[in-house]
Amino acid sequence: MTSIDLYVDPVCPFAWVTSRWLLDAATATGRSATLRQMNLAVLNDGHGAAPAQRAKLEWSRRVGRVFAAATDEGGPGAFSDLYEALGALVHSGQDVAESAVKEALTATTSSPALVDALDDSAWDDAVRAAHQRSQDALGGGGGSPIIAVDGKGFFGPVLTSLPGREDGVALLDAVVTAASTPGFAVLQRPYQGPPSMPGPQSR
C-alpha cells in the first residue's frame, strides 16, 4: 500500500489547503495519509525577516511547541486531531492566539494544560527534531508543506484553492505517479497567496 506523509506547519495556510485536499483524496482512493509536524520558524532561523513575517514565525515557534507536546503525549494521531481543531479556527479567519490554542486543545483528547507549552522552550528540541525529519524526507531544505510518497519527498503540492473531489483524486494519482517515476525531481510555477480557504464543510 502507498505510504503518504504530509509535513505541515500548523500556522501555514497553504499547508492547510493541501491537507484538506490530501485527506479527502486519500479517503476517496483508499490510501492512507499521515500528517506530521514541520516548523517554519526553525526553517528560517538565522534569516532576516520583515516585522510582519517575524510575528508569524514567532507564532510558528510557539504553536510548534504545543504540537510537539501533544505528539509526545498522544502520538501522530494527537497531532492530526489538534491540527484539525486549530486549523478550523485560525484558517477560517480567527487570529492565531492563545485563546484559539486553548479552544483547539479543549476540542481534542489532548490535555488543555498543554497550552503552557506555548512559552516553554524546553520543547524546542522536539520541534527541531520534528522539523529535521521533514527535511530528511525531502532530502534538503524546504518549506511547508512537504509530501513524501513511499519515502520520496517533494515540496508541495502548493494549492491556492481546494479542488473538487474528481480533480483532487486525479491530482493525487498524478503525485503518486510522479513520485514513483525514476528521475522525476521538480515541477513548479510561480504562485501568489494567501490561498482561498475551503469552507467548514470541507475536511
Side-chain angles (χ1 to χ4, degrees), residues 1-202:
M1 177 180 288
T2 301
S3 171
I4 304 174
D5 293 313
L6 186 70
Y7 295 87
V8 294
D9 186 309
V11 306
C12 175
F14 288 104
W16 177 251
V17 177
T18 298
S19 71
R20 303 307 85 193
W21 153 73
L22 176 60
L23 293 176
D24 182 68
T27 298
T29 58
R31 295 182 173 111
S32 176
T34 302
L35 302 182
R36 301 189 185 278
Q37 183 173 9
M38 68 165 300
N39 190 264
L40 291 173
V42 174
L43 179 68
N44 286 277
D45 274 346
H47 300 285
Q53 182 68 6
R54 283 200 300 270
K56 291 179 181 178
L57 292 175
E58 180 60 20
W59 266 113
S60 169
R61 189 180 308 281
R62 296 180 71 204
V63 170
R65 293 166 177 164
V66 176
F67 275 84
T71 303
D72 181 72
E73 179 184 74
F79 176 87
S80 296
D81 289 347
L82 186 57
Y83 184 74
E84 295 282 336
L86 184 64
L89 297 173
V90 304
H91 297 304
S92 62
Q94 183 170 324
D95 289 337
V96 181
E98 184 172 330
S99 60
V101 176
K102 287 180 179 178
E103 184 175 345
L105 286 167
T106 301
T108 70
T109 58
S110 294
S111 170
L114 294 184
V115 71
D116 293 340
L118 280 169
D119 297 307
D120 187 353
S121 61
W123 289 105
D124 287 352
D125 284 347
V127 174
R128 281 190 288 268
H131 178 74
Q132 187 58 50
R133 286 190 288 273
S134 77
Q135 306 302 279
D136 291 345
L138 180 62
S144 176
I146 290 169
I147 195 168
V149 180
D150 289 335
K152 188 171 184 180
F154 298 92
F155 169 60
V158 175
L159 301 174
T160 56
S161 63
L162 187 67
R165 169 65 64 85
E166 185 175 342
D167 288 341
V169 167
L171 176 58
L172 180 55
D173 288 342
V175 169
V176 171
T177 298
S180 62
T181 301
F184 180 83
V186 64
L187 178 68
Q188 185 173 352
R189 67 177 177 179
Y191 62 90
Q192 294 182 337
S196 60
M197 291 299 170
Q201 76 283 359
S202 300

